Amino acid sequence: MLAEDSSEVPKRKRVLDTVDRVSELCFGLFMALTFVGTVSAATGDQTAGRKMLYTALGCNLAWGLADAVMYLVRTIADRSRRHALAIAVRQEADAAAGVRALRERVSASLDAFISDADLESIRKRVAASDSLPERARFERDDFLAALGIFIIIVLSTFPVAAPFVIFEHVPTALLISRVLTIAMLFACGFALGGFAGWSRWKAGLSMMALGVLLTMAIIALGG
């Protein structure tokens, strides 16, 4: 009996989905790779490894913070827009006008599958609702998601920059750094492919190819 009850408990929704996590990890990898390539072209002394790590880490700390803050800005802006729509629909005396307002917010890909009767049903539920807050507010998961974005971007620095601390020979460290980066990009593409229903291997190889192209561009620019 207990087993049956526990199986019916809904799973907690993740604050960041697979696309968010993969996108932020790739962003952090690309940013770190760009700075590592730039510094490697200008550094050749014994402090090169630490300079690589500090430069890449400083870059991703700054961009991780900026991206986390912008995530919160996007989140509250989207939520405020939805809240304003709900308030407008609830206060609209003309049912047809309320349906038109909802129709304008329907995604173009779904528009053909949602009838005015469906929208009218939604309008009635919104109009009858007495649980709408006075204004849109942040939720706890918003800050957890922003923190997750910051951590992912910062952690993505180390596979790219750590080889420069471990290996004193800069060309060797640079080669290992790029191999690790490409391997992680493959893993990101593999995960994204499974989430999107694509071929995991093709998605992984495509993401890896993108990493190779970026690496070639960095080398061509002096990285």
Side-chain angles (χ1 to χ4, degrees):
M1 185 64 178
L2 291 176
E4 292 179 358
D5 292 341
S6 62
S7 65
E8 294 177 357
V9 176
K11 293 183 179 180
R12 178 180 174 82
K13 182 180 179 181
R14 294 180 177 179
V15 293
L16 289 174
D17 63 21
T18 301
V19 176
D20 291 327
R21 295 196 300 273
V22 168
S23 298
E24 297 301 337
L25 180 57
C26 289
F27 175 72
L29 288 172
F30 288 144
M31 290 299 300
L33 184 62
T34 301
F35 271 75
V36 163
T38 302
V39 175
S40 69
T43 307
D45 55 24
Q46 296 180 348
T47 64
R50 291 184 178 180
K51 288 181 180 179
M52 296 289 184
L53 178 60
Y54 294 156
T55 300
L57 184 58
C59 164
N60 278 5
L61 279 170
W63 279 108
L65 179 61
D67 210 21
V69 171
M70 290 310 301
Y71 171 84
L72 292 174
V73 172
R74 293 193 305 270
T75 297
I76 196 62
D78 289 342
R79 188 169 297 149
S80 296
R81 188 182 179 193
R82 293 194 299 269
H83 181 266
L85 174 62
I87 294 296
V89 169
R90 189 174 66 175
Q91 295 177 346
E92 179 59 63
D94 183 4
V99 169
R100 285 196 298 272
L102 290 172
R103 174 69 68 185
E104 291 175 357
R105 293 297 305 277
V106 175
S107 170
S109 60
L110 297 176
D111 188 65
F113 303 99
I114 300 178
S115 66
D116 286 349
D118 296 327
L119 295 177
E120 172 59 16
S121 177
I122 296 173
R123 187 201 66 79
K124 287 180 178 179
R125 291 198 297 271
V126 172
S129 174
D130 56 0
S131 61
L132 286 176
E134 294 182 1
R135 62 180 181 276
R137 295 183 176 88
F138 284 114
E139 300 174 359
R140 185 193 63 146
D141 284 355
D142 299 332
F143 296 102
L144 291 178
L147 177 61
I149 288 172
F150 177 78
I151 291 174
I152 288 172
I153 292 179
V154 172
L155 290 181
S156 67
T157 306
F158 294 98
V160 180
F164 294 95
V165 179
I166 299 173
F167 301 94
E168 294 184 0
H169 189 240
V170 174
T172 299
L174 186 59
L175 175 62
I176 295 174
S177 171
R178 286 169 175 164
V179 169
L180 288 175
T181 302
I182 291 172
M184 290 189 68
L185 288 173
F186 174 83
C188 288
F190 192 86
L192 188 62
F195 177 82
W198 305 330
S199 168
R200 290 177 180 267
W201 285 95
K202 288 183 179 179
L205 291 173
S206 296
M207 188 69 77
M208 188 172 66
L210 178 62
V212 171
L213 291 175
L214 178 61
T215 301
M216 292 173 59
I218 292 173
I219 294 174
L221 293 172

